[in-house]
Amino acid sequence: MAQSFFAPCPRGLEAALAAELTALDAKYITPVDGGVGFAGEHELAYRANLESRLASRILWRVGHGRYRNEDELYALTRGIDWPRHFKVERTLRVDVAATRSPLASLEFATLKVKDAVCDRFRDTSAKRPSVEKQRPDIRVHAFLGEREATLYLDTSGEALFKRGYRRDTEMAPLRENLAAGLIALSGWTPGLPLLDPMCGGGTIAIEAAMIAADRAPGLARTFGFQKLAWYDGPTWQRIRQHAHDRVRPSPDTPSIFASDVDARMVEQARLNLATAGVAPFVAVGVADVLERAAPAPQGMLIANPPYGVRLENDAALAALYPRLGDALKQRFAGWTVLLMSGDTRLPKLIGLKPSRRTPLYNGAIECRLYRFEMVAGRPARAPRPEASASE
C-alpha cells in the first residue's frame, strides 16, 4: 500500500530533490517551499534515506486533520494508533513547526502532542513512552497550518546531512546536503575536473567524491525507520548490500581537487575524506586561492567563499573579492565557476558578470549561487566607493 512522505530540504533545492526522488521511483512528487512531498511503499523510505544527497529528513505521514485550538490538536493526535507504529519501550521526542497557526504557544502545542501520543499508549498498555530530547528512538513531527495539522513519524533519526564522516561540525559553514545541492545545481558530472580552492573541511570535495564513487551517502549510518514496527531487517540488508556492492574502485588519477590556505583545515579535510572512504578520489593540498593554478585546462570550480554577516568583515571582503576576480580571470579561463555567497555585493566586487543567480538558503542566511563562465580577460576592476550593494 502506498504511503505518503515528505522530505524537507534547504530552500532552493526543491527542484533538484524532486529530480532525485523521481530517480528513486517515488510517485506523486509535489515540490513545495522547503521540501518535496511524495508517495511510495515503505521500502521507498529505506532507499530514500540511504540514497538522498539533498533531503534533510524523510518524514512518514501518519495523520492529518483540521484543528482550531489545543484541545482539537490533542484529539487529532490521540486518534492516531501510535502503538501500531512503535513499541512503548522506545524513547520519544516531539517537534512542532507552524505557519500562520492560531495557537499562541508552540511549546504548549508540543506538550499537547506529546501528551496525546503518550495517553494513547496508556489506553492500551497502561505504560507511556519516556521522553528523550537528545538521542530519541522515535521522533514525531507536527506541522501546523492555519486550519490543518499534519503529523509525521521521522524515518531518518539523525538529520540526513549527518553522513558520519565529518568531525569538524562546530566550525563547518556548509552542511553536507547543501554542498551536494551546489554540485547538483552546477550540472557537474564525474570525470570533469572539479576544484574547491577554499575547501575548509572538504565538504564540497567529499560530496563530489561520493558521487564519483557512486557511494550512497547513508551507507555508514543507521536510521530511524529501524525503530519502527514495519521495519524489515532482511529487506533493509538487501538494499544496503546492493548499494555497498556498486561502490566504484578508486581511480588511478583523481579528477577532484581541494585546497585551502590553512594547513590545519587541509589536514581536517584529509581526515574527513579518509573517514568517508573516498580519499583516493581527491587530491588535497595547501594553496592560496589567489595564487594557485588551475589543475586542468577546463573544469568546474565550486566554492563557498567567506562572506560577512558582521559589519567588521566588510572591509576585508571588499579587498578580497576584486583580487579573487583577478585570479579567476588570469588562471581559470575555460572554467565554469560557481560561488555561493550571502553577500549580494559579490558580483560587483569580484568584477565578473554572472550568467545565473540561483537563490539558496544556508540555514537562515539568504544566499545566491552565482555562476560565471570564465574567459581570458583583463584583471577585474575594483568597484568605485559609491557602487551600490544591491543586486
Side-chain angles (χ1 to χ4, degrees):
M1 178 179 175
Q3 305 293 317
S4 294
F5 300 95
F6 183 75
C9 67
R11 288 167 62 190
L13 296 183
E14 296 89 351
L17 175 57
E20 186 180 66
L21 291 167
T22 299
L24 293 172
D25 296 326
K27 308 299 182 186
Y28 306 109
I29 294 171
T30 309
V32 298
D33 188 27
V36 179
F38 63 101
E41 305 296 327
H42 283 134
E43 186 174 316
L44 177 60
Y46 299 166
R47 291 189 287 114
N49 275 290
L50 178 65
E51 302 285 357
S52 178
R53 302 183 190 279
L54 308 179
S56 299
R57 297 181 180 277
I58 305 297
L59 305 177
W60 172 44
R61 179 169 147 170
V62 294
H64 178 82
R66 298 177 69 86
Y67 79 105
R68 292 172 296 180
N69 52 49
E70 289 85 352
D71 290 339
E72 290 184 356
L73 177 61
Y74 173 90
L76 172 64
T77 306
R78 189 165 179 171
I80 297 169
D81 189 0
W82 299 102
R84 186 164 66 93
H85 300 323
F86 62 92
K87 296 179 181 178
V88 70
E89 292 80 13
R90 302 295 192 192
T91 56
L92 174 69
R93 170 175 172 152
V94 173
D95 291 286
V96 176
T99 302
R100 297 188 299 274
S101 171
L103 304 187
S105 169
L106 283 188
E107 286 157 355
F108 187 52
T110 302
L111 180 64
K112 296 295 283 187
V113 171
K114 185 265 295 180
D115 285 346
V117 174
C118 292
D119 289 347
R120 181 61 187 254
F121 271 98
R122 193 172 58 183
D123 291 342
T124 58
S125 64
K127 294 181 180 180
R128 292 165 58 102
S130 298
V131 173
E132 167 57 55
K133 292 187 177 181
Q134 297 304 315
R135 299 185 65 84
D137 296 324
I138 302 294
R139 297 169 188 255
V140 173
H141 293 259
F143 291 86
L144 310 181
E146 191 172 3
R147 297 183 180 87
E148 297 181 332
T150 307
L151 290 116
Y152 297 92
L153 278 167
D154 187 350
T155 71
S156 300
E158 291 282 358
L160 292 181
F161 62 80
K162 297 183 179 180
R163 319 282 204 223
Y165 64 72
R166 200 162 72 180
R167 300 291 180 261
D168 57 334
T169 53
E170 289 77 14
M171 54 185 174
L174 197 64
R175 286 179 172 175
E176 292 87 330
N177 60 338
L178 183 52
L182 302 184
I183 297 168
L185 293 173
S186 76
W188 176 81
T189 54
L192 178 68
L194 183 147
L195 166 67
D196 180 358
M198 294 172 272
C199 71
T203 309
I204 292 173
I206 294 170
E207 291 297 317
M210 292 177 77
I211 294 169
D214 199 11
R215 185 179 182 88
L219 203 54
R221 51 163 287 171
T222 59
F223 298 97
F225 60 72
Q226 294 172 269
K227 305 292 179 65
L228 296 176
W230 47 259
Y231 171 59
D232 179 358
T235 297
W236 166 236
Q237 290 304 321
R238 172 177 54 81
I239 291 170
R240 188 179 179 280
Q241 187 62 47
H242 176 73
H244 184 273
D245 291 345
R246 73 165 198 257
V247 175
R248 297 186 182 117
S250 301
D252 294 331
T253 304
S255 59
I256 300 169
F257 304 87
S259 58
D260 199 282
V261 70
D262 187 337
R264 293 172 301 172
M265 295 310 302
V266 169
E267 183 59 29
Q268 186 64 60
R270 288 195 175 105
L271 291 172
N272 290 340
L273 280 159
T275 303
V278 291
F281 285 80
V282 182
V284 191
V286 178
D288 188 334
V289 63
L290 300 177
E291 298 175 358
R292 75 154 297 159
Q298 293 181 320
M300 191 167 282
L301 185 156
I302 305 177
N304 177 215
Y307 46 89
V309 177
R310 300 185 303 276
L311 290 177
E312 59 262 35
N313 289 333
D314 280 4
L317 291 173
L320 167 67
Y321 284 153
R323 297 176 65 200
L324 178 58
D326 286 349
L328 294 175
K329 280 191 172 185
Q330 292 167 7
R331 300 186 179 92
F332 287 87
W335 280 61
T336 297
V337 173
L338 294 104
L339 303 177
M340 190 187 80
S341 179
D343 191 334
T344 57
R345 304 171 306 161
L346 185 143
K348 189 175 292 291
L349 290 173
I350 207 170
L352 298 169
K353 184 177 180 180
S355 60
R356 188 181 306 164
R357 308 169 189 235
T358 304
L360 286 173
Y361 278 79
N362 185 1
I365 302 172
E366 184 176 0
C367 299
R368 295 289 185 275
L369 180 61
Y370 298 102
R371 184 184 188 100
F372 305 95
E373 306 298 338
M374 302 304 302
V375 294
R378 291 173 297 177
R381 292 179 299 164
R384 294 191 301 269
E386 66 270 24
S388 169
S390 62
E391 287 190 79

Short mmCIF file of all heavy atoms in Angstrom, two decimals, residues 156-213:
data_model
loop_
_atom_site.label_atom_id
_atom_site.label_comp_id
_atom_site.label_asym_id
_atom_site.label_seq_id
_atom_site.Cartn_x
_atom_site.Cartn_y
_atom_site.Cartn_z
N SER A 156 14.17 9.01 9.49
CA SER A 156 15.62 9.22 9.36
C SER A 156 16.37 9.11 10.67
O SER A 156 17.48 8.62 10.72
CB SER A 156 15.89 10.60 8.74
OG SER A 156 15.30 10.70 7.46
N GLY A 157 15.77 9.58 11.78
CA GLY A 157 16.50 9.67 13.04
C GLY A 157 17.34 10.94 13.02
O GLY A 157 16.80 12.04 12.95
N GLU A 158 18.64 10.80 13.08
CA GLU A 158 19.50 11.97 12.93
C GLU A 158 19.31 12.55 11.52
O GLU A 158 19.01 11.83 10.57
CB GLU A 158 20.98 11.57 13.10
CG GLU A 158 21.36 11.19 14.52
CD GLU A 158 21.54 12.40 15.42
OE1 GLU A 158 21.42 13.55 14.94
OE2 GLU A 158 21.80 12.20 16.61
N ALA A 159 19.46 13.86 11.39
CA ALA A 159 19.29 14.51 10.09
C ALA A 159 20.18 13.85 9.04
O ALA A 159 21.30 13.42 9.33
CB ALA A 159 19.60 15.99 10.20
N LEU A 160 19.69 13.78 7.81
CA LEU A 160 20.40 13.05 6.76
C LEU A 160 21.71 13.71 6.35
O LEU A 160 22.57 13.06 5.77
CB LEU A 160 19.49 12.88 5.53
CG LEU A 160 18.29 11.94 5.73
CD1 LEU A 160 17.50 11.84 4.44
CD2 LEU A 160 18.73 10.56 6.19
N PHE A 161 21.86 15.02 6.63
CA PHE A 161 23.15 15.63 6.28
C PHE A 161 24.26 15.14 7.20
O PHE A 161 25.44 15.34 6.92
CB PHE A 161 23.07 17.16 6.27
CG PHE A 161 22.72 17.79 7.59
CD1 PHE A 161 23.66 17.94 8.58
CD2 PHE A 161 21.43 18.25 7.82
CE1 PHE A 161 23.33 18.53 9.80
CE2 PHE A 161 21.08 18.85 9.02
CZ PHE A 161 22.04 18.98 10.02
N LYS A 162 23.91 14.46 8.27
CA LYS A 162 24.92 13.87 9.16
C LYS A 162 25.33 12.51 8.59
O LYS A 162 24.85 11.47 9.00
CB LYS A 162 24.39 13.75 10.58
CG LYS A 162 24.07 15.11 11.21
CD LYS A 162 23.61 14.97 12.64
CE LYS A 162 23.34 16.35 13.25
NZ LYS A 162 22.89 16.26 14.67
N ARG A 163 26.22 12.56 7.63
CA ARG A 163 26.65 11.33 6.94
C ARG A 163 27.51 10.44 7.84
O ARG A 163 27.63 9.24 7.60
CB ARG A 163 27.46 11.66 5.70
CG ARG A 163 26.98 12.83 4.85
CD ARG A 163 25.82 12.48 3.97
NE ARG A 163 25.74 13.36 2.81
CZ ARG A 163 24.62 13.89 2.35
NH1 ARG A 163 23.47 13.63 2.95
NH2 ARG A 163 24.62 14.66 1.27
N GLY A 164 28.17 11.05 8.82
CA GLY A 164 29.03 10.28 9.71
C GLY A 164 30.51 10.43 9.43
O GLY A 164 31.33 9.86 10.14
N TYR A 165 30.88 11.25 8.41
CA TYR A 165 32.30 11.36 8.08
C TYR A 165 32.96 12.62 8.63
O TYR A 165 34.17 12.73 8.63
CB TYR A 165 32.53 11.29 6.57
CG TYR A 165 31.93 12.41 5.74
CD1 TYR A 165 32.46 13.70 5.76
CD2 TYR A 165 30.84 12.17 4.90
CE1 TYR A 165 31.91 14.72 4.98
CE2 TYR A 165 30.30 13.17 4.11
CZ TYR A 165 30.84 14.45 4.16
OH TYR A 165 30.30 15.45 3.39
N ARG A 166 32.19 13.57 9.10
CA ARG A 166 32.77 14.87 9.46
C ARG A 166 32.93 14.99 10.97
O ARG A 166 32.01 14.71 11.72
CB ARG A 166 31.89 16.01 8.92
CG ARG A 166 32.63 17.31 8.81
CD ARG A 166 31.92 18.27 7.91
NE ARG A 166 30.71 18.81 8.50
CZ ARG A 166 29.91 19.68 7.88
NH1 ARG A 166 30.20 20.08 6.67
NH2 ARG A 166 28.83 20.12 8.47
N ARG A 167 34.12 15.44 11.37
CA ARG A 167 34.41 15.60 12.79
C ARG A 167 34.53 17.07 13.19
O ARG A 167 34.75 17.39 14.33
CB ARG A 167 35.74 14.90 13.12
CG ARG A 167 35.73 13.41 12.83
CD ARG A 167 34.82 12.64 13.78
NE ARG A 167 34.81 11.22 13.49
CZ ARG A 167 33.86 10.61 12.78
NH1 ARG A 167 32.87 11.32 12.27
NH2 ARG A 167 33.90 9.32 12.56
N ASP A 168 34.39 17.97 12.21
CA ASP A 168 34.59 19.40 12.46
C ASP A 168 33.27 20.16 12.42
O ASP A 168 33.18 21.25 11.90
CB ASP A 168 35.55 19.99 11.43
CG ASP A 168 35.04 19.77 10.00
OD1 ASP A 168 34.29 18.81 9.78
OD2 ASP A 168 35.40 20.57 9.12
N THR A 169 32.21 19.57 13.00
CA THR A 169 30.87 20.12 12.84
C THR A 169 30.73 21.51 13.43
O THR A 169 29.93 22.31 12.96
CB THR A 169 29.84 19.19 13.50
OG1 THR A 169 30.24 18.93 14.85
CG2 THR A 169 29.76 17.87 12.77
N GLU A 170 31.50 21.83 14.46
CA GLU A 170 31.35 23.14 15.09
C GLU A 170 31.82 24.28 14.18
O GLU A 170 31.29 25.38 14.24
CB GLU A 170 32.13 23.21 16.41
CG GLU A 170 31.52 22.38 17.54
CD GLU A 170 31.81 20.89 17.40
OE1 GLU A 170 32.69 20.53 16.59
OE2 GLU A 170 31.14 20.09 18.08
N MET A 171 32.81 24.02 13.33
CA MET A 171 33.36 25.13 12.54
C MET A 171 33.02 25.01 11.06
O MET A 171 33.46 25.82 10.25
CB MET A 171 34.88 25.19 12.70
CG MET A 171 35.61 23.90 12.40
SD MET A 171 37.37 24.05 12.76
CE MET A 171 37.93 22.39 12.49
N ALA A 172 32.21 24.04 10.68
CA ALA A 172 31.88 23.87 9.27
C ALA A 172 30.73 24.80 8.89
O ALA A 172 29.67 24.76 9.50
CB ALA A 172 31.49 22.42 9.00
N PRO A 173 30.92 25.64 7.88
CA PRO A 173 29.87 26.59 7.49
C PRO A 173 28.85 26.02 6.53
O PRO A 173 27.87 26.68 6.22
CB PRO A 173 30.66 27.71 6.83
CG PRO A 173 31.81 27.00 6.19
CD PRO A 173 32.15 25.85 7.11
N LEU A 174 29.07 24.80 6.03
CA LEU A 174 28.25 24.27 4.96
C LEU A 174 27.83 22.84 5.29
O LEU A 174 28.67 21.96 5.44
CB LEU A 174 29.06 24.28 3.65
CG LEU A 174 28.30 24.16 2.33
CD1 LEU A 174 27.37 25.34 2.13
CD2 LEU A 174 29.28 24.04 1.17
N ARG A 175 26.52 22.62 5.40
CA ARG A 175 26.03 21.27 5.64
C ARG A 175 26.22 20.40 4.40
O ARG A 175 26.23 20.89 3.27
CB ARG A 175 24.56 21.30 6.04
CG ARG A 175 24.34 21.82 7.45
CD ARG A 175 22.86 21.87 7.80
NE ARG A 175 22.67 22.19 9.21
CZ ARG A 175 21.50 22.39 9.78
NH1 ARG A 175 20.39 22.32 9.04
NH2 ARG A 175 21.40 22.67 11.06
N GLU A 176 26.30 19.10 4.66
CA GLU A 176 26.61 18.17 3.58
C GLU A 176 25.57 18.19 2.48
O GLU A 176 25.91 18.11 1.29
CB GLU A 176 26.76 16.76 4.15
CG GLU A 176 27.97 16.57 5.03
CD GLU A 176 27.76 16.92 6.51
OE1 GLU A 176 26.92 17.81 6.81
OE2 GLU A 176 28.41 16.31 7.36
N ASN A 177 24.27 18.24 2.83
CA ASN A 177 23.27 18.20 1.77
C ASN A 177 23.22 19.50 0.97
O ASN A 177 22.88 19.49 -0.21
CB ASN A 177 21.89 17.82 2.31
CG ASN A 177 21.34 18.79 3.33
OD1 ASN A 177 22.08 19.53 3.98
ND2 ASN A 177 20.03 18.78 3.51
N LEU A 178 23.60 20.62 1.59
CA LEU A 178 23.69 21.86 0.81
C LEU A 178 24.90 21.81 -0.12
O LEU A 178 24.83 22.27 -1.27
CB LEU A 178 23.77 23.07 1.74
CG LEU A 178 23.81 24.44 1.06
CD1 LEU A 178 22.68 24.62 0.06
CD2 LEU A 178 23.79 25.55 2.11
N ALA A 179 26.01 21.26 0.35
CA ALA A 179 27.18 21.08 -0.53
C ALA A 179 26.82 20.19 -1.71
O ALA A 179 27.17 20.49 -2.86
CB ALA A 179 28.34 20.47 0.26
N ALA A 180 26.10 19.09 -1.45
CA ALA A 180 25.66 18.23 -2.54
C ALA A 180 24.70 18.97 -3.46
O ALA A 180 24.68 18.74 -4.68
CB ALA A 180 24.98 16.98 -1.98
N GLY A 181 23.91 19.88 -2.89
CA GLY A 181 23.00 20.68 -3.70
C GLY A 181 23.72 21.62 -4.64
O GLY A 181 23.29 21.81 -5.79
N LEU A 182 24.83 22.21 -4.18
CA LEU A 182 25.62 23.07 -5.07
C LEU A 182 26.12 22.27 -6.28
O LEU A 182 26.10 22.76 -7.41
CB LEU A 182 26.81 23.66 -4.32
CG LEU A 182 26.52 24.51 -3.08
CD1 LEU A 182 27.82 25.09 -2.53
CD2 LEU A 182 25.52 25.60 -3.37
N ILE A 183 26.55 21.04 -6.01
CA ILE A 183 27.04 20.18 -7.09
C ILE A 183 25.90 19.83 -8.05
O ILE A 183 26.06 19.87 -9.27
CB ILE A 183 27.69 18.92 -6.51
CG1 ILE A 183 28.91 19.30 -5.67
CG2 ILE A 183 28.08 17.94 -7.62
CD1 ILE A 183 29.45 18.18 -4.82
N ALA A 184 24.73 19.50 -7.49
CA ALA A 184 23.58 19.17 -8.34
C ALA A 184 23.18 20.35 -9.21
O ALA A 184 22.90 20.19 -10.41
CB ALA A 184 22.40 18.72 -7.46
N LEU A 185 23.17 21.55 -8.64
CA LEU A 185 22.79 22.73 -9.40
C LEU A 185 23.84 23.11 -10.44
O LEU A 185 23.52 23.74 -11.45
CB LEU A 185 22.55 23.91 -8.45
CG LEU A 185 21.34 23.78 -7.51
CD1 LEU A 185 21.34 24.93 -6.51
CD2 LEU A 185 20.04 23.74 -8.29
N SER A 186 25.08 22.72 -10.20
CA SER A 186 26.16 23.07 -11.13
C SER A 186 26.08 22.28 -12.43
O SER A 186 26.56 22.73 -13.46
CB SER A 186 27.52 22.81 -10.47
OG SER A 186 27.83 21.41 -10.45
N GLY A 187 25.50 21.07 -12.37
CA GLY A 187 25.49 20.19 -13.53
C GLY A 187 26.76 19.37 -13.69
O GLY A 187 26.94 18.70 -14.70
N TRP A 188 27.64 19.40 -12.68
CA TRP A 188 28.89 18.63 -12.75
C TRP A 188 28.61 17.14 -12.85
O TRP A 188 27.67 16.62 -12.22
CB TRP A 188 29.73 18.91 -11.51
CG TRP A 188 30.98 18.08 -11.43
CD1 TRP A 188 32.16 18.32 -12.06
CD2 TRP A 188 31.18 16.89 -10.67
NE1 TRP A 188 33.08 17.35 -11.75
CE2 TRP A 188 32.51 16.46 -10.89
CE3 TRP A 188 30.36 16.13 -9.81
CZ2 TRP A 188 33.04 15.31 -10.30
CZ3 TRP A 188 30.87 14.99 -9.23
CH2 TRP A 188 32.20 14.59 -9.46
N THR A 189 29.43 16.46 -13.62
CA THR A 189 29.36 15.00 -13.72
C THR A 189 30.76 14.43 -13.48
O THR A 189 31.77 15.07 -13.81
CB THR A 189 28.86 14.55 -15.09
OG1 THR A 189 29.67 15.15 -16.12
CG2 THR A 189 27.41 14.96 -15.31
N PRO A 190 30.85 13.24 -12.90
CA PRO A 190 32.16 12.64 -12.63
C PRO A 190 33.01 12.53 -13.89
O PRO A 190 32.51 12.23 -14.98
CB PRO A 190 31.80 11.25 -12.08
CG PRO A 190 30.45 11.45 -11.46
CD PRO A 190 29.75 12.43 -12.36
N GLY A 191 34.29 12.80 -13.72
CA GLY A 191 35.23 12.81 -14.84
C GLY A 191 35.64 14.21 -15.23
O GLY A 191 36.78 14.44 -15.65
N LEU A 192 34.72 15.17 -15.09
CA LEU A 192 35.07 16.57 -15.33
C LEU A 192 35.85 17.08 -14.13
O LEU A 192 35.42 16.92 -12.99
CB LEU A 192 33.80 17.41 -15.52
CG LEU A 192 34.00 18.91 -15.73
CD1 LEU A 192 34.66 19.18 -17.09
CD2 LEU A 192 32.66 19.65 -15.63
N PRO A 193 37.04 17.69 -14.34
CA PRO A 193 37.79 18.20 -13.19
C PRO A 193 36.95 19.16 -12.35
O PRO A 193 36.24 20.02 -12.89
CB PRO A 193 38.97 18.91 -13.84
CG PRO A 193 39.17 18.18 -15.13
CD PRO A 193 37.78 17.83 -15.61
N LEU A 194 37.04 19.01 -11.05
CA LEU A 194 36.32 19.85 -10.11
C LEU A 194 37.29 20.32 -9.04
O LEU A 194 38.08 19.52 -8.53
CB LEU A 194 35.15 19.10 -9.47
CG LEU A 194 34.25 19.88 -8.50
CD1 LEU A 194 32.81 19.39 -8.57
CD2 LEU A 194 34.75 19.79 -7.05
N LEU A 195 37.20 21.60 -8.69
CA LEU A 195 38.10 22.18 -7.69
C LEU A 195 37.31 23.01 -6.70
O LEU A 195 36.47 23.82 -7.08
CB LEU A 195 39.15 23.08 -8.38
CG LEU A 195 39.95 24.02 -7.46
CD1 LEU A 195 40.86 23.24 -6.54
CD2 LEU A 195 40.74 25.03 -8.29
N ASP A 196 37.61 22.81 -5.40
CA ASP A 196 37.20 23.75 -4.36
C ASP A 196 38.48 24.34 -3.77
O ASP A 196 39.17 23.68 -3.01
CB ASP A 196 36.38 23.06 -3.27
CG ASP A 196 35.95 24.04 -2.17
OD1 ASP A 196 36.32 25.23 -2.25
OD2 ASP A 196 35.24 23.61 -1.24
N PRO A 197 38.82 25.59 -4.13
CA PRO A 197 40.08 26.17 -3.67
C PRO A 197 40.00 26.85 -2.31
O PRO A 197 40.98 27.42 -1.86
CB PRO A 197 40.37 27.20 -4.77
CG PRO A 197 39.02 27.68 -5.17
CD PRO A 197 38.11 26.48 -5.04
N MET A 198 38.84 26.78 -1.67
CA MET A 198 38.65 27.29 -0.30
C MET A 198 37.90 26.22 0.47
O MET A 198 36.82 26.43 0.99
CB MET A 198 37.86 28.62 -0.34
CG MET A 198 38.62 29.75 -0.99
SD MET A 198 37.63 31.25 -1.25
CE MET A 198 36.92 30.89 -2.85
N CYS A 199 38.52 25.03 0.57
CA CYS A 199 37.77 23.82 0.90
C CYS A 199 37.42 23.67 2.36
O CYS A 199 36.54 22.88 2.70
CB CYS A 199 38.54 22.59 0.42
SG CYS A 199 40.05 22.23 1.35
N GLY A 200 38.12 24.39 3.28
CA GLY A 200 37.84 24.16 4.69
C GLY A 200 37.99 22.69 5.03
O GLY A 200 39.01 22.06 4.72
N GLY A 201 36.95 22.11 5.64
CA GLY A 201 36.98 20.69 5.99
C GLY A 201 36.72 19.75 4.83
O GLY A 201 36.67 18.53 5.03
N GLY A 202 36.53 20.29 3.63
CA GLY A 202 36.46 19.45 2.44
C GLY A 202 35.08 18.98 2.04
O GLY A 202 34.96 18.07 1.21
N THR A 203 34.03 19.59 2.57
CA THR A 203 32.69 19.05 2.37
C THR A 203 32.29 18.97 0.89
O THR A 203 31.75 17.95 0.45
CB THR A 203 31.65 19.88 3.14
OG1 THR A 203 32.08 20.02 4.50
CG2 THR A 203 30.30 19.21 3.12
N ILE A 204 32.52 20.03 0.11
CA ILE A 204 32.14 20.00 -1.30
C ILE A 204 32.91 18.90 -2.03
O ILE A 204 32.33 18.12 -2.80
CB ILE A 204 32.38 21.38 -1.96
CG1 ILE A 204 31.41 22.42 -1.38
CG2 ILE A 204 32.23 21.29 -3.48
CD1 ILE A 204 31.68 23.84 -1.85
N ALA A 205 34.21 18.81 -1.80
CA ALA A 205 35.02 17.79 -2.46
C ALA A 205 34.58 16.38 -2.06
O ALA A 205 34.54 15.47 -2.90
CB ALA A 205 36.50 18.00 -2.14
N ILE A 206 34.26 16.20 -0.78
CA ILE A 206 33.84 14.87 -0.31
C ILE A 206 32.52 14.47 -0.96
O ILE A 206 32.35 13.34 -1.41
CB ILE A 206 33.73 14.85 1.22
CG1 ILE A 206 35.11 15.02 1.85
CG2 ILE A 206 33.08 13.54 1.69
CD1 ILE A 206 35.08 15.24 3.35
N GLU A 207 31.57 15.40 -1.01
CA GLU A 207 30.29 15.09 -1.63
C GLU A 207 30.46 14.76 -3.11
O GLU A 207 29.83 13.83 -3.63
CB GLU A 207 29.31 16.25 -1.44
CG GLU A 207 28.86 16.45 0.00
CD GLU A 207 28.08 15.27 0.55
OE1 GLU A 207 27.21 14.74 -0.17
OE2 GLU A 207 28.35 14.87 1.71
N ALA A 208 31.34 15.48 -3.80
CA ALA A 208 31.63 15.17 -5.20
C ALA A 208 32.28 13.80 -5.32
O ALA A 208 31.94 13.01 -6.23
CB ALA A 208 32.53 16.25 -5.80
N ALA A 209 33.19 13.49 -4.42
CA ALA A 209 33.87 12.19 -4.46
C ALA A 209 32.89 11.05 -4.21
O ALA A 209 33.00 9.98 -4.83
CB ALA A 209 35.00 12.16 -3.42
N MET A 210 31.93 11.26 -3.32
CA MET A 210 30.94 10.21 -3.07
C MET A 210 30.06 9.98 -4.30
O MET A 210 29.65 8.86 -4.58
CB MET A 210 30.09 10.58 -1.85
CG MET A 210 30.89 10.55 -0.54
SD MET A 210 29.95 11.08 0.91
CE MET A 210 28.95 9.63 1.20
N ILE A 211 29.78 11.06 -5.04
CA ILE A 211 29.05 10.91 -6.30
C ILE A 211 29.91 10.14 -7.31
O ILE A 211 29.44 9.22 -7.98
CB ILE A 211 28.65 12.29 -6.85
CG1 ILE A 211 27.63 12.96 -5.92
CG2 ILE A 211 28.08 12.16 -8.26
CD1 ILE A 211 27.38 14.42 -6.24
N ALA A 212 31.18 10.53 -7.41
CA ALA A 212 32.09 9.86 -8.35
C ALA A 212 32.25 8.38 -8.03
O ALA A 212 32.38 7.54 -8.92
CB ALA A 212 33.45 10.56 -8.35
N ALA A 213 32.25 8.07 -6.74
CA ALA A 213 32.38 6.67 -6.30
C ALA A 213 31.06 5.91 -6.34
O ALA A 213 31.04 4.70 -6.10
CB ALA A 213 32.94 6.63 -4.88
#
